[in-house]
Amino acid sequence: MAHHAYGISEIVGTSPDGIESAINNAVARAGSTVRNLDWFEVQGVRGQLEEDKVVHWQVTIKVGFRIDDES
């Protein structure tokens, strides 16, 4: 098994369509600027309310990415 080193970034994804969509948005956005994404962990969930209804979701996640070998 190879030895790897990982970096971790915390990001917030948003969506009016729900938690899963907010997570997918965060991962997709991270993937557009960071290589070697391997995992994510949900840190928190928040939402925006209007007239006693949930209208928007915010999900804070940590994403782990493998750091490239220099060889």
Side-chain angles (χ1 to χ4, degrees):
M1 182 172 182
H3 298 279
H4 296 293
Y6 290 87
I8 298 172
S9 290
E10 186 174 88
I11 58 176
V12 178
T14 65
S15 175
D17 300 322
I19 294 169
E20 185 175 351
S21 182
I23 292 169
N24 286 330
N25 290 341
V27 170
R29 188 62 177 249
S32 71
T33 60
V34 178
R35 292 188 316 241
N36 303 322
L37 293 178
D38 272 356
W39 55 267
F40 75 92
E41 177 182 349
V42 174
Q43 297 293 299
V45 177
R46 291 176 302 282
Q48 178 184 357
L49 301 172
E50 287 182 9
E51 297 179 8
D52 300 329
K53 293 183 182 169
V54 177
V55 295
H56 211 86
W57 296 90
Q58 294 180 337
V59 180
T60 302
I61 65 171
K62 287 187 178 179
V63 291
F65 55 93
R66 276 178 289 112
I67 297 173
D68 287 336
D69 292 333
E70 298 228 359
S71 49

Short mmCIF file of all heavy atoms in Angstrom, two decimals:
data_model
loop_
_atom_site.label_atom_id
_atom_site.label_comp_id
_atom_site.label_asym_id
_atom_site.label_seq_id
_atom_site.Cartn_x
_atom_site.Cartn_y
_atom_site.Cartn_z
N MET A 1 0.85 -1.18 0.00
CA MET A 1 0.00 0.00 0.00
C MET A 1 0.89 1.25 0.00
O MET A 1 1.84 1.34 0.76
CB MET A 1 -0.90 -0.02 1.23
CG MET A 1 -1.83 1.12 1.30
SD MET A 1 -2.99 0.85 2.66
CE MET A 1 -3.97 2.27 2.46
N ALA A 2 0.58 2.17 -0.83
CA ALA A 2 1.36 3.41 -0.95
C ALA A 2 1.12 4.31 0.26
O ALA A 2 0.06 4.26 0.90
CB ALA A 2 0.98 4.13 -2.22
N HIS A 3 2.11 5.12 0.56
CA HIS A 3 1.97 6.12 1.63
C HIS A 3 1.52 7.43 0.99
O HIS A 3 2.10 7.87 0.01
CB HIS A 3 3.31 6.32 2.33
CG HIS A 3 3.81 5.07 2.99
ND1 HIS A 3 3.34 4.66 4.22
CD2 HIS A 3 4.69 4.14 2.58
CE1 HIS A 3 3.94 3.53 4.54
NE2 HIS A 3 4.77 3.18 3.55
N HIS A 4 0.49 8.02 1.55
CA HIS A 4 -0.04 9.26 1.00
C HIS A 4 -0.03 10.35 2.07
O HIS A 4 -0.08 10.07 3.26
CB HIS A 4 -1.49 9.08 0.52
CG HIS A 4 -1.65 8.12 -0.61
ND1 HIS A 4 -1.16 8.35 -1.87
CD2 HIS A 4 -2.26 6.91 -0.66
CE1 HIS A 4 -1.45 7.34 -2.66
NE2 HIS A 4 -2.11 6.44 -1.94
N ALA A 5 0.01 11.58 1.63
CA ALA A 5 -0.21 12.73 2.49
C ALA A 5 -1.46 13.43 1.98
O ALA A 5 -1.72 13.46 0.77
CB ALA A 5 0.99 13.68 2.45
N TYR A 6 -2.23 13.97 2.89
CA TYR A 6 -3.49 14.61 2.53
C TYR A 6 -3.55 16.05 3.02
O TYR A 6 -2.99 16.39 4.06
CB TYR A 6 -4.68 13.85 3.14
CG TYR A 6 -4.91 12.51 2.52
CD1 TYR A 6 -4.25 11.38 2.97
CD2 TYR A 6 -5.79 12.36 1.45
CE1 TYR A 6 -4.45 10.14 2.39
CE2 TYR A 6 -6.00 11.14 0.86
CZ TYR A 6 -5.33 10.03 1.33
OH TYR A 6 -5.53 8.80 0.74
N GLY A 7 -4.25 16.88 2.27
CA GLY A 7 -4.61 18.22 2.70
C GLY A 7 -6.11 18.24 2.96
O GLY A 7 -6.85 17.39 2.45
N ILE A 8 -6.54 19.19 3.77
CA ILE A 8 -7.96 19.32 4.09
C ILE A 8 -8.37 20.78 3.92
O ILE A 8 -7.67 21.68 4.38
CB ILE A 8 -8.25 18.88 5.54
CG1 ILE A 8 -7.88 17.41 5.74
CG2 ILE A 8 -9.72 19.12 5.89
CD1 ILE A 8 -7.94 16.96 7.18
N SER A 9 -9.49 20.99 3.24
CA SER A 9 -10.06 22.33 3.10
C SER A 9 -11.50 22.31 3.59
O SER A 9 -12.22 21.33 3.40
CB SER A 9 -10.06 22.79 1.64
OG SER A 9 -8.75 23.04 1.21
N GLU A 10 -11.92 23.40 4.20
CA GLU A 10 -13.31 23.54 4.64
C GLU A 10 -14.01 24.49 3.70
O GLU A 10 -13.52 25.59 3.44
CB GLU A 10 -13.35 24.07 6.07
CG GLU A 10 -14.74 24.12 6.65
CD GLU A 10 -14.75 24.50 8.11
OE1 GLU A 10 -14.79 25.70 8.39
OE2 GLU A 10 -14.68 23.58 8.95
N ILE A 11 -15.15 24.07 3.17
CA ILE A 11 -15.91 24.89 2.23
C ILE A 11 -17.39 24.81 2.56
O ILE A 11 -17.83 23.90 3.27
CB ILE A 11 -15.65 24.49 0.76
CG1 ILE A 11 -16.01 23.03 0.54
CG2 ILE A 11 -14.21 24.74 0.37
CD1 ILE A 11 -15.87 22.60 -0.91
N VAL A 12 -18.15 25.74 2.02
CA VAL A 12 -19.60 25.77 2.23
C VAL A 12 -20.28 25.69 0.87
O VAL A 12 -19.99 26.49 -0.03
CB VAL A 12 -20.05 27.06 2.95
CG1 VAL A 12 -21.56 27.09 3.10
CG2 VAL A 12 -19.37 27.16 4.32
N GLY A 13 -21.15 24.72 0.71
CA GLY A 13 -21.97 24.60 -0.49
C GLY A 13 -23.38 25.08 -0.19
O GLY A 13 -23.86 24.93 0.94
N THR A 14 -24.04 25.64 -1.18
CA THR A 14 -25.39 26.14 -0.98
C THR A 14 -26.32 25.63 -2.07
O THR A 14 -25.88 25.28 -3.17
CB THR A 14 -25.43 27.69 -0.99
OG1 THR A 14 -25.07 28.15 -2.29
CG2 THR A 14 -24.50 28.27 0.05
N SER A 15 -27.61 25.58 -1.74
CA SER A 15 -28.62 25.18 -2.72
C SER A 15 -30.01 25.44 -2.16
O SER A 15 -30.25 25.23 -0.98
CB SER A 15 -28.50 23.69 -3.05
OG SER A 15 -29.55 23.29 -3.91
N PRO A 16 -30.94 25.83 -3.02
CA PRO A 16 -32.34 25.92 -2.59
C PRO A 16 -33.02 24.55 -2.63
O PRO A 16 -34.14 24.40 -2.15
CB PRO A 16 -32.97 26.87 -3.61
CG PRO A 16 -32.15 26.66 -4.85
CD PRO A 16 -30.75 26.38 -4.36
N ASP A 17 -32.33 23.53 -3.17
CA ASP A 17 -32.95 22.23 -3.41
C ASP A 17 -32.71 21.18 -2.34
O ASP A 17 -33.21 20.06 -2.46
CB ASP A 17 -32.48 21.68 -4.76
CG ASP A 17 -32.84 22.62 -5.90
OD1 ASP A 17 -33.94 23.20 -5.87
OD2 ASP A 17 -32.01 22.78 -6.81
N GLY A 18 -31.90 21.48 -1.33
CA GLY A 18 -31.71 20.52 -0.25
C GLY A 18 -30.25 20.29 0.10
O GLY A 18 -29.33 20.81 -0.54
N ILE A 19 -30.06 19.48 1.14
CA ILE A 19 -28.73 19.23 1.68
C ILE A 19 -27.85 18.50 0.67
O ILE A 19 -26.70 18.87 0.45
CB ILE A 19 -28.85 18.42 2.99
CG1 ILE A 19 -29.53 19.26 4.06
CG2 ILE A 19 -27.48 17.95 3.47
CD1 ILE A 19 -29.92 18.49 5.30
N GLU A 20 -28.37 17.44 0.06
CA GLU A 20 -27.56 16.67 -0.89
C GLU A 20 -27.09 17.54 -2.05
O GLU A 20 -25.94 17.46 -2.48
CB GLU A 20 -28.33 15.47 -1.40
CG GLU A 20 -27.50 14.57 -2.30
CD GLU A 20 -28.24 13.31 -2.71
OE1 GLU A 20 -29.33 13.02 -2.19
OE2 GLU A 20 -27.69 12.61 -3.58
N SER A 21 -27.96 18.37 -2.54
CA SER A 21 -27.60 19.27 -3.64
C SER A 21 -26.53 20.27 -3.19
O SER A 21 -25.60 20.58 -3.95
CB SER A 21 -28.84 20.00 -4.14
OG SER A 21 -28.53 20.82 -5.22
N ALA A 22 -26.64 20.78 -1.97
CA ALA A 22 -25.63 21.71 -1.45
C ALA A 22 -24.27 21.03 -1.33
O ALA A 22 -23.24 21.61 -1.67
CB ALA A 22 -26.08 22.28 -0.10
N ILE A 23 -24.25 19.77 -0.88
CA ILE A 23 -23.00 19.01 -0.79
C ILE A 23 -22.43 18.79 -2.18
O ILE A 23 -21.23 19.01 -2.41
CB ILE A 23 -23.23 17.66 -0.09
CG1 ILE A 23 -23.56 17.88 1.39
CG2 ILE A 23 -22.01 16.75 -0.24
CD1 ILE A 23 -24.06 16.64 2.10
N ASN A 24 -23.26 18.37 -3.11
CA ASN A 24 -22.78 18.15 -4.49
C ASN A 24 -22.23 19.42 -5.10
O ASN A 24 -21.22 19.39 -5.82
CB ASN A 24 -23.90 17.57 -5.35
CG ASN A 24 -24.17 16.12 -5.03
OD1 ASN A 24 -23.29 15.37 -4.63
ND2 ASN A 24 -25.41 15.70 -5.21
N ASN A 25 -22.86 20.56 -4.84
CA ASN A 25 -22.36 21.84 -5.35
C ASN A 25 -21.00 22.16 -4.76
O ASN A 25 -20.09 22.63 -5.47
CB ASN A 25 -23.35 22.97 -5.05
CG ASN A 25 -24.61 22.88 -5.87
OD1 ASN A 25 -24.65 22.21 -6.89
ND2 ASN A 25 -25.66 23.54 -5.42
N ALA A 26 -20.82 21.92 -3.46
CA ALA A 26 -19.54 22.19 -2.81
C ALA A 26 -18.44 21.30 -3.37
O ALA A 26 -17.34 21.77 -3.68
CB ALA A 26 -19.66 21.99 -1.30
N VAL A 27 -18.72 20.01 -3.52
CA VAL A 27 -17.72 19.07 -4.04
C VAL A 27 -17.36 19.40 -5.49
O VAL A 27 -16.19 19.40 -5.87
CB VAL A 27 -18.21 17.62 -3.89
CG1 VAL A 27 -17.30 16.66 -4.65
CG2 VAL A 27 -18.31 17.23 -2.42
N ALA A 28 -18.37 19.72 -6.30
CA ALA A 28 -18.11 20.07 -7.71
C ALA A 28 -17.25 21.32 -7.81
O ALA A 28 -16.31 21.38 -8.62
CB ALA A 28 -19.42 20.26 -8.46
N ARG A 29 -17.55 22.30 -6.99
CA ARG A 29 -16.77 23.54 -7.03
C ARG A 29 -15.34 23.31 -6.57
O ARG A 29 -14.39 23.79 -7.18
CB ARG A 29 -17.46 24.60 -6.16
CG ARG A 29 -16.89 25.96 -6.24
CD ARG A 29 -17.03 26.50 -7.67
NE ARG A 29 -16.55 27.83 -7.74
CZ ARG A 29 -17.30 28.89 -7.93
NH1 ARG A 29 -18.59 28.75 -8.14
NH2 ARG A 29 -16.78 30.08 -7.95
N ALA A 30 -15.18 22.54 -5.50
CA ALA A 30 -13.83 22.21 -5.02
C ALA A 30 -13.06 21.44 -6.09
O ALA A 30 -11.88 21.69 -6.32
CB ALA A 30 -13.91 21.39 -3.73
N GLY A 31 -13.74 20.52 -6.77
CA GLY A 31 -13.10 19.72 -7.80
C GLY A 31 -12.64 20.52 -9.00
O GLY A 31 -11.79 20.07 -9.77
N SER A 32 -13.20 21.71 -9.18
CA SER A 32 -12.79 22.53 -10.31
C SER A 32 -11.47 23.25 -10.05
O SER A 32 -10.86 23.77 -10.99
CB SER A 32 -13.89 23.54 -10.67
OG SER A 32 -13.99 24.55 -9.68
N THR A 33 -11.03 23.29 -8.79
CA THR A 33 -9.78 23.98 -8.47
C THR A 33 -8.77 23.12 -7.71
O THR A 33 -7.61 23.50 -7.61
CB THR A 33 -10.06 25.25 -7.62
OG1 THR A 33 -10.70 24.87 -6.42
CG2 THR A 33 -10.90 26.25 -8.39
N VAL A 34 -9.19 21.99 -7.17
CA VAL A 34 -8.31 21.12 -6.39
C VAL A 34 -8.31 19.74 -7.01
O VAL A 34 -9.37 19.18 -7.30
CB VAL A 34 -8.79 21.04 -4.92
CG1 VAL A 34 -7.91 20.09 -4.12
CG2 VAL A 34 -8.83 22.41 -4.27
N ARG A 35 -7.10 19.17 -7.21
CA ARG A 35 -7.00 17.82 -7.76
C ARG A 35 -7.04 16.78 -6.64
O ARG A 35 -6.78 17.09 -5.48
CB ARG A 35 -5.67 17.66 -8.51
CG ARG A 35 -5.59 18.49 -9.76
CD ARG A 35 -4.34 18.13 -10.54
NE ARG A 35 -3.17 18.03 -9.67
CZ ARG A 35 -2.09 18.77 -9.76
NH1 ARG A 35 -2.01 19.69 -10.69
NH2 ARG A 35 -1.09 18.62 -8.93
N ASN A 36 -7.30 15.55 -7.03
CA ASN A 36 -7.17 14.38 -6.15
C ASN A 36 -8.12 14.39 -4.95
O ASN A 36 -7.75 13.93 -3.87
CB ASN A 36 -5.73 14.22 -5.66
CG ASN A 36 -4.74 14.10 -6.78
OD1 ASN A 36 -5.00 13.49 -7.81
ND2 ASN A 36 -3.58 14.72 -6.61
N LEU A 37 -9.34 14.91 -5.12
CA LEU A 37 -10.30 14.84 -4.02
C LEU A 37 -10.60 13.38 -3.71
O LEU A 37 -10.82 12.58 -4.62
CB LEU A 37 -11.60 15.55 -4.40
CG LEU A 37 -11.55 17.06 -4.58
CD1 LEU A 37 -12.91 17.58 -5.00
CD2 LEU A 37 -11.08 17.75 -3.32
N ASP A 38 -10.60 13.03 -2.42
CA ASP A 38 -10.83 11.64 -2.03
C ASP A 38 -12.04 11.45 -1.12
O ASP A 38 -12.65 10.40 -1.12
CB ASP A 38 -9.61 11.08 -1.30
CG ASP A 38 -8.58 10.47 -2.23
OD1 ASP A 38 -8.84 10.39 -3.44
OD2 ASP A 38 -7.52 10.06 -1.74
N TRP A 39 -12.37 12.42 -0.30
CA TRP A 39 -13.45 12.23 0.66
C TRP A 39 -14.00 13.58 1.12
O TRP A 39 -13.40 14.61 0.89
CB TRP A 39 -12.97 11.42 1.87
CG TRP A 39 -11.77 12.00 2.58
CD1 TRP A 39 -10.46 11.68 2.34
CD2 TRP A 39 -11.75 12.99 3.60
NE1 TRP A 39 -9.63 12.42 3.15
CE2 TRP A 39 -10.40 13.23 3.95
CE3 TRP A 39 -12.73 13.71 4.27
CZ2 TRP A 39 -10.03 14.14 4.92
CZ3 TRP A 39 -12.35 14.62 5.24
CH2 TRP A 39 -11.02 14.81 5.55
N PHE A 40 -15.18 13.51 1.77
CA PHE A 40 -15.73 14.71 2.41
C PHE A 40 -16.37 14.31 3.73
O PHE A 40 -16.73 13.16 3.95
CB PHE A 40 -16.75 15.43 1.51
CG PHE A 40 -18.09 14.75 1.42
CD1 PHE A 40 -19.12 15.10 2.28
CD2 PHE A 40 -18.32 13.76 0.48
CE1 PHE A 40 -20.35 14.48 2.20
CE2 PHE A 40 -19.55 13.14 0.39
CZ PHE A 40 -20.57 13.50 1.26
N GLU A 41 -16.50 15.29 4.61
CA GLU A 41 -17.13 15.10 5.91
C GLU A 41 -18.01 16.31 6.19
O GLU A 41 -17.54 17.45 6.12
CB GLU A 41 -16.05 14.97 6.98
CG GLU A 41 -16.57 14.84 8.38
CD GLU A 41 -15.43 14.77 9.40
OE1 GLU A 41 -14.26 14.62 9.02
OE2 GLU A 41 -15.75 14.89 10.59
N VAL A 42 -19.28 16.08 6.49
CA VAL A 42 -20.19 17.17 6.80
C VAL A 42 -19.89 17.71 8.20
O VAL A 42 -19.82 16.96 9.17
CB VAL A 42 -21.67 16.71 6.71
CG1 VAL A 42 -22.61 17.82 7.18
CG2 VAL A 42 -22.01 16.28 5.29
N GLN A 43 -19.68 19.02 8.29
CA GLN A 43 -19.38 19.69 9.55
C GLN A 43 -20.59 20.41 10.14
O GLN A 43 -20.69 20.55 11.34
CB GLN A 43 -18.26 20.71 9.34
CG GLN A 43 -16.96 20.09 8.89
CD GLN A 43 -16.37 19.24 9.98
OE1 GLN A 43 -16.05 19.74 11.06
NE2 GLN A 43 -16.25 17.96 9.72
N GLY A 44 -21.49 20.88 9.28
CA GLY A 44 -22.63 21.62 9.78
C GLY A 44 -23.65 21.89 8.68
O GLY A 44 -23.31 21.90 7.50
N VAL A 45 -24.88 22.08 9.11
CA VAL A 45 -25.98 22.37 8.19
C VAL A 45 -26.74 23.58 8.72
O VAL A 45 -27.08 23.63 9.91
CB VAL A 45 -26.94 21.16 8.06
CG1 VAL A 45 -28.11 21.50 7.16
CG2 VAL A 45 -26.20 19.93 7.56
N ARG A 46 -26.97 24.54 7.84
CA ARG A 46 -27.76 25.73 8.18
C ARG A 46 -28.77 25.95 7.08
O ARG A 46 -28.63 25.42 5.97
CB ARG A 46 -26.86 26.96 8.28
CG ARG A 46 -25.93 26.97 9.44
CD ARG A 46 -25.02 28.19 9.41
NE ARG A 46 -24.23 28.26 8.18
CZ ARG A 46 -23.13 27.55 7.95
NH1 ARG A 46 -22.70 26.68 8.83
NH2 ARG A 46 -22.46 27.68 6.82
N GLY A 47 -29.75 26.77 7.37
CA GLY A 47 -30.73 27.09 6.35
C GLY A 47 -31.25 28.50 6.51
O GLY A 47 -31.15 29.10 7.57
N GLN A 48 -31.80 28.98 5.42
CA GLN A 48 -32.43 30.32 5.41
C GLN A 48 -33.94 30.11 5.39
O GLN A 48 -34.46 29.28 4.65
CB GLN A 48 -32.00 31.09 4.18
CG GLN A 48 -32.64 32.46 4.07
CD GLN A 48 -32.26 33.17 2.78
OE1 GLN A 48 -31.47 32.68 1.98
NE2 GLN A 48 -32.85 34.33 2.57
N LEU A 49 -34.64 30.90 6.21
CA LEU A 49 -36.10 30.81 6.30
C LEU A 49 -36.75 32.07 5.76
O LEU A 49 -36.23 33.17 5.93
CB LEU A 49 -36.53 30.64 7.76
CG LEU A 49 -35.99 29.42 8.50
CD1 LEU A 49 -36.34 29.51 9.97
CD2 LEU A 49 -36.55 28.15 7.88
N GLU A 50 -37.87 31.89 5.09
CA GLU A 50 -38.73 33.00 4.69
C GLU A 50 -40.16 32.56 4.91
O GLU A 50 -40.57 31.50 4.44
CB GLU A 50 -38.50 33.36 3.22
CG GLU A 50 -37.19 34.06 2.95
CD GLU A 50 -37.01 34.45 1.50
OE1 GLU A 50 -37.97 34.32 0.70
OE2 GLU A 50 -35.89 34.85 1.14
N GLU A 51 -40.89 33.38 5.63
CA GLU A 51 -42.30 33.10 5.94
C GLU A 51 -42.48 31.68 6.49
O GLU A 51 -43.34 30.91 6.05
CB GLU A 51 -43.17 33.33 4.70
CG GLU A 51 -43.14 34.76 4.23
CD GLU A 51 -43.97 34.99 2.98
OE1 GLU A 51 -44.70 34.09 2.55
OE2 GLU A 51 -43.89 36.11 2.44
N ASP A 52 -41.63 31.34 7.45
CA ASP A 52 -41.68 30.04 8.15
C ASP A 52 -41.44 28.84 7.24
O ASP A 52 -41.89 27.73 7.53
CB ASP A 52 -43.02 29.88 8.89
CG ASP A 52 -43.25 30.96 9.92
OD1 ASP A 52 -42.26 31.45 10.50
OD2 ASP A 52 -44.41 31.32 10.15
N LYS A 53 -40.73 29.03 6.15
CA LYS A 53 -40.40 27.93 5.24
C LYS A 53 -38.90 27.96 4.91
O LYS A 53 -38.31 29.03 4.80
CB LYS A 53 -41.20 28.03 3.93
CG LYS A 53 -42.67 27.82 4.15
CD LYS A 53 -43.41 27.84 2.85
CE LYS A 53 -44.90 27.66 3.17
NZ LYS A 53 -45.75 27.90 2.06
N VAL A 54 -38.32 26.78 4.76
CA VAL A 54 -36.93 26.67 4.36
C VAL A 54 -36.83 27.02 2.88
O VAL A 54 -37.52 26.42 2.05
CB VAL A 54 -36.38 25.24 4.59
CG1 VAL A 54 -34.95 25.13 4.10
CG2 VAL A 54 -36.47 24.86 6.06
N VAL A 55 -35.99 28.01 2.58
CA VAL A 55 -35.85 28.44 1.18
C VAL A 55 -34.44 28.22 0.63
O VAL A 55 -34.23 28.31 -0.57
CB VAL A 55 -36.26 29.92 0.99
CG1 VAL A 55 -37.75 30.10 1.27
CG2 VAL A 55 -35.41 30.85 1.82
N HIS A 56 -33.47 27.96 1.52
CA HIS A 56 -32.10 27.77 1.05
C HIS A 56 -31.32 27.00 2.10
O HIS A 56 -31.52 27.19 3.30
CB HIS A 56 -31.42 29.12 0.80
CG HIS A 56 -30.42 29.08 -0.29
ND1 HIS A 56 -30.73 29.24 -1.61
CD2 HIS A 56 -29.08 28.86 -0.26
CE1 HIS A 56 -29.64 29.14 -2.34
NE2 HIS A 56 -28.62 28.92 -1.54
N TRP A 57 -30.42 26.12 1.63
CA TRP A 57 -29.57 25.31 2.49
C TRP A 57 -28.12 25.72 2.36
O TRP A 57 -27.66 26.06 1.27
CB TRP A 57 -29.69 23.83 2.10
CG TRP A 57 -31.06 23.29 2.32
CD1 TRP A 57 -32.10 23.28 1.42
CD2 TRP A 57 -31.56 22.71 3.50
NE1 TRP A 57 -33.20 22.70 1.98
CE2 TRP A 57 -32.89 22.34 3.27
CE3 TRP A 57 -31.00 22.44 4.75
CZ2 TRP A 57 -33.67 21.72 4.24
CZ3 TRP A 57 -31.79 21.83 5.70
CH2 TRP A 57 -33.10 21.48 5.45
N GLN A 58 -27.38 25.67 3.47
CA GLN A 58 -25.93 25.87 3.49
C GLN A 58 -25.33 24.70 4.24
O GLN A 58 -25.73 24.42 5.38
CB GLN A 58 -25.54 27.16 4.21
CG GLN A 58 -25.99 28.42 3.54
CD GLN A 58 -25.57 29.64 4.33
OE1 GLN A 58 -25.33 29.57 5.53
NE2 GLN A 58 -25.47 30.77 3.66
N VAL A 59 -24.39 24.00 3.61
CA VAL A 59 -23.75 22.85 4.24
C VAL A 59 -22.24 23.08 4.27
O VAL A 59 -21.62 23.29 3.22
CB VAL A 59 -24.07 21.54 3.49
CG1 VAL A 59 -23.40 20.36 4.17
CG2 VAL A 59 -25.57 21.32 3.43
N THR A 60 -21.66 23.07 5.46
CA THR A 60 -20.21 23.19 5.61
C THR A 60 -19.62 21.79 5.58
O THR A 60 -20.06 20.91 6.32
CB THR A 60 -19.86 23.88 6.95
OG1 THR A 60 -20.49 25.16 6.99
CG2 THR A 60 -18.35 24.04 7.10
N ILE A 61 -18.62 21.60 4.70
CA ILE A 61 -17.96 20.30 4.61
C ILE A 61 -16.45 20.49 4.65
O ILE A 61 -15.94 21.57 4.35
CB ILE A 61 -18.35 19.52 3.34
CG1 ILE A 61 -17.86 20.22 2.07
CG2 ILE A 61 -19.84 19.26 3.28
CD1 ILE A 61 -18.01 19.40 0.80
N LYS A 62 -15.75 19.45 5.06
CA LYS A 62 -14.32 19.36 4.89
C LYS A 62 -14.09 18.38 3.75
O LYS A 62 -14.72 17.33 3.70
CB LYS A 62 -13.63 18.87 6.16
CG LYS A 62 -13.59 19.89 7.26
CD LYS A 62 -12.77 19.41 8.42
CE LYS A 62 -12.72 20.49 9.50
NZ LYS A 62 -11.93 20.02 10.65
N VAL A 63 -13.20 18.75 2.83
CA VAL A 63 -12.84 17.84 1.74
C VAL A 63 -11.37 17.48 1.91
O VAL A 63 -10.54 18.33 2.23
CB VAL A 63 -13.10 18.43 0.34
CG1 VAL A 63 -14.57 18.57 0.08
CG2 VAL A 63 -12.41 19.76 0.15
N GLY A 64 -11.07 16.19 1.70
CA GLY A 64 -9.70 15.72 1.78
C GLY A 64 -9.17 15.46 0.38
O GLY A 64 -9.89 14.93 -0.47
N PHE A 65 -7.93 15.84 0.16
CA PHE A 65 -7.32 15.63 -1.16
C PHE A 65 -5.90 15.13 -0.97
O PHE A 65 -5.19 15.53 -0.04
CB PHE A 65 -7.34 16.92 -2.00
CG PHE A 65 -6.71 18.11 -1.31
CD1 PHE A 65 -5.37 18.42 -1.52
CD2 PHE A 65 -7.46 18.91 -0.47
CE1 PHE A 65 -4.80 19.51 -0.89
CE2 PHE A 65 -6.88 20.01 0.17
CZ PHE A 65 -5.56 20.30 -0.04
N ARG A 66 -5.51 14.19 -1.85
CA ARG A 66 -4.15 13.66 -1.83
C ARG A 66 -3.18 14.68 -2.38
O ARG A 66 -3.42 15.29 -3.41
CB ARG A 66 -4.05 12.38 -2.67
CG ARG A 66 -4.47 11.15 -1.95
CD ARG A 66 -4.39 9.93 -2.86
NE ARG A 66 -5.47 9.99 -3.86
CZ ARG A 66 -5.27 10.18 -5.16
NH1 ARG A 66 -4.07 10.30 -5.64
NH2 ARG A 66 -6.30 10.25 -5.97
N ILE A 67 -2.09 14.87 -1.68
CA ILE A 67 -1.03 15.77 -2.15
C ILE A 67 -0.16 14.99 -3.12
O ILE A 67 0.22 13.85 -2.85
CB ILE A 67 -0.21 16.30 -0.96
CG1 ILE A 67 -1.14 17.14 -0.06
CG2 ILE A 67 0.99 17.12 -1.45
CD1 ILE A 67 -0.50 17.59 1.22
N ASP A 68 0.11 15.58 -4.27
CA ASP A 68 0.91 14.91 -5.31
C ASP A 68 2.29 14.55 -4.80
O ASP A 68 2.92 15.31 -4.06
CB ASP A 68 1.08 15.82 -6.53
CG ASP A 68 -0.18 15.96 -7.35
OD1 ASP A 68 -1.04 15.06 -7.28
OD2 ASP A 68 -0.32 16.98 -8.05
N ASP A 69 2.77 13.36 -5.24
CA ASP A 69 4.15 12.96 -4.96
C ASP A 69 5.08 13.81 -5.82
O ASP A 69 4.74 14.19 -6.94
CB ASP A 69 4.36 11.49 -5.30
CG ASP A 69 3.60 10.57 -4.36
OD1 ASP A 69 3.36 10.98 -3.21
OD2 ASP A 69 3.26 9.45 -4.77
N GLU A 70 6.26 14.08 -5.32
CA GLU A 70 7.23 14.89 -6.07
C GLU A 70 8.16 14.06 -6.92
O GLU A 70 9.05 14.58 -7.55
CB GLU A 70 8.04 15.74 -5.09
CG GLU A 70 7.16 16.69 -4.33
CD GLU A 70 7.69 18.08 -4.30
OE1 GLU A 70 8.76 18.34 -4.87
OE2 GLU A 70 7.04 18.93 -3.72
N SER A 71 7.96 12.73 -6.97
CA SER A 71 8.89 11.88 -7.72
C SER A 71 8.69 11.93 -9.19
O SER A 71 7.85 12.46 -9.77
CB SER A 71 8.77 10.45 -7.25
OG SER A 71 7.43 10.02 -7.21
#
